Amino acid sequence: MRSYRVVLASADVRNVLLLGALVRIPFFAGAVLLALHVVQTLHGSYVQAGVLSTIATVCIALSGPWRGRLLDRFGLRRTVAPSILVGAVCWSIAPFVDYVPLLIFAAIAGLFDVPIFTVVRQAVIAATTEQNRQPALALESVSVECAFMVGPIVGVAAASIWSTTMVLFFVQMTLVLAGILLWVRNPPLRSAQDADRANAVAVPRRSWFRLEFVALCVGASAAIAVLAGSELTFVSAIREFDAQKWLGVVLAVWGFGSVVGGLTYGALHRKISTYLLLAALGAVTLPMAFAVGPISLAITGLVAGLFCAPTITASIDQMSRVVPEGGRGEAIGWHSAALTLGNGIGSSMAGIAIDAGGFPAGFGAAAALGLGIGLGIPLLLTLHNRRRPAVDKQPSQVGA
């Protein structure tokens, strides 16, 4: 635990991680509450609930690179202030109107979403050195896993006691309050070794938006696609086993494996390639296709979960070494957008595979995606790096 003691000894890192863990719980609760509000209170269809969730998610994804670039150019306070105002106005009205106005307000609020994920990750990177960044990012990734498990449970439980209108209003106002707290605390987004924050300018995108960065985003997107596909396939498998009461337990075991894997990876004293972890994630996902009941599914899920959090942590850590400080806000925004895209791809891919061949096909498709992208990207990068010296030599040869 020495690595974590060193990280948590820093008040800046400790405060940012705590703030990030707390504000992400209402973030994940809000997603499921939107669907419940449409179906239960507005008496809409599940299709309408899905459309609303999709539009809100797409708008949040689109806002990531844009809001991240504003963080690089203008700093936290000037970027977050409009998000606070727009979010407060939209979510003070949206829970009390019909479906179409709710759709419009949710879309506008999504485009001006407080960039919580970007701010927390950028602040963690800024507050750490390259030597202790891995355990700090591992803790950040584990906190996301925990919030992802706790948030929907809290939201559904609250909606079963009070009306979804009031619960949705309260949860979204909590996120607005989180934005205000971020504005007040204003955690540094650049290290002390970087240029003076008041005079710092954004790094040109062309200096870092290259093949290596794009490959990292593709790898992170594939990792989330494997996880999203697996999550949907768990539901199909449990239904096929006629053991619906064990679904929560199996998912919890899978999530516990991710927490253990994330903490173990953070304690290591060496870097592991994102693509190697992605290929390993694909390999350990495959055995779940051969599960014969909820117990074997939980055991194989526990093993598969060990590589979930480490893969995402490694991609963020590797990105922090590829992108200079003046461009990390936008880069993390693109990274977050890639994760959102992967979530949609994974669910769709698994749904098609399950319809074609049942839950074994769903897990098989997710495993093939992880293995294919994890092994394919390093090969493409190697071929590109071999060709580039030859291309670079051509002008000098022509000049000669």
Side-chain angles (χ1 to χ4, degrees):
M1 299 299 292
R2 185 183 308 163
S3 301
Y4 293 110
R5 284 198 298 268
V6 172
V7 167
L8 294 176
S10 169
D12 289 339
V13 177
R14 192 169 59 244
N15 291 337
V16 168
L17 288 174
L18 179 61
L19 180 62
L22 291 176
V23 300
R24 281 162 172 160
I25 292 175
F27 177 85
F28 287 117
V32 70
L33 281 171
L34 275 176
L36 286 174
H37 182 67
V38 170
V39 175
Q40 291 185 12
T41 303
L42 300 183
H43 306 292
S45 65
Y46 283 99
V47 173
Q48 289 177 309
V51 169
L52 175 60
S53 297
T54 299
I55 290 178
T57 301
V58 169
C59 288
I60 292 173
L62 291 175
S63 74
W66 168 51
R67 309 295 289 169
R69 187 156 183 83
L70 292 179
L71 286 171
D72 293 331
R73 284 180 173 270
F74 304 116
L76 188 148
R77 285 184 168 170
R78 292 175 63 183
T79 301
V80 169
S83 298
I84 296 171
L85 294 174
V86 172
V89 171
C90 288
W91 291 114
S92 63
I93 301 172
F96 306 97
V97 297
D98 291 333
Y99 178 76
V100 174
L102 171 62
L103 193 68
I104 296 172
F105 280 121
I108 296 173
L111 289 173
F112 285 86
D113 186 59
V114 176
I116 293 173
F117 285 80
T118 301
V119 168
V120 171
R121 285 169 180 165
Q122 199 173 356
V124 168
I125 292 171
T128 55
T129 63
E130 191 168 333
Q131 287 71 32
N132 62 6
R133 186 169 297 153
Q134 184 167 304
L137 289 174
L139 286 174
E140 190 273 339
S141 181
V142 167
S143 73
V144 174
E145 291 280 343
C146 294
F148 179 75
M149 290 187 287
V150 173
I153 296 173
V154 172
V156 172
S160 66
I161 301 173
W162 301 287
S163 69
T164 58
T165 299
M166 296 311 301
V167 176
L168 181 61
F169 172 79
F170 175 78
V171 166
Q172 296 298 341
M173 287 301 108
T174 302
L175 289 175
V176 173
L177 181 62
I180 296 174
L181 189 57
L182 281 176
W183 188 91
V184 171
R185 294 200 61 85
N186 193 25
L189 301 183
R190 299 194 183 192
S191 66
Q193 290 74 29
D194 195 26
D196 185 83
R197 294 175 62 206
N199 300 321
V201 295
V203 174
R205 186 186 296 115
R206 63 179 178 275
S207 68
W208 54 266
F209 202 100
R210 297 179 178 177
L211 181 61
E212 188 175 1
F213 173 74
V214 174
L216 273 174
C217 288
V218 172
S221 182
I224 289 296
V226 172
L227 302 185
S230 298
E231 185 177 22
L232 181 62
T233 310
F234 272 117
V235 178
S236 173
I238 288 295
R239 291 188 64 183
E240 189 166 327
F241 297 147
D242 193 24
Q244 284 86 339
K245 64 180 180 180
W246 293 105
L247 177 60
V249 176
V250 171
L251 289 175
V253 171
W254 184 49
F256 176 73
S258 181
V259 171
V260 172
L263 292 175
T264 303
Y265 175 75
L268 298 177
H269 297 288
R270 55 167 299 196
K271 310 290 185 184
I272 301 179
S273 167
T274 302
Y275 312 116
L276 178 61
L277 289 169
L278 175 59
L281 176 63
V284 295
T285 298
L286 186 59
M288 292 191 289
F290 302 98
V292 295
I295 295 178
S296 58
L297 183 62
I299 293 172
T300 53
L302 176 66
V303 177
L306 294 173
F307 290 88
C308 295
T311 306
I312 304 302
T313 301
S315 70
I316 300 171
D317 187 19
Q318 194 170 339
M319 181 200 63
S320 72
R321 299 193 299 273
V322 172
V323 181
E325 285 195 288
R328 284 178 186 160
E330 183 180 1
I332 295 174
W334 282 108
H335 185 273
S336 298
L339 297 182
T340 303
L341 177 64
N343 189 68
I345 291 174
S347 298
S348 301
M349 175 195 68
I352 295 171
I354 292 168
D355 287 340
F359 83 86
F363 285 127
L369 179 65
L371 280 167
I373 300 297
L375 297 177
I377 288 181
L379 179 61
L380 291 175
L381 290 175
T382 301
L383 293 174
H384 173 76
N385 291 333
R386 285 180 179 176
R387 290 181 57 189
R388 188 167 57 184
V391 174
D392 292 341
K393 290 179 183 177
Q394 287 181 1
S396 60
Q397 293 172 350
V398 172

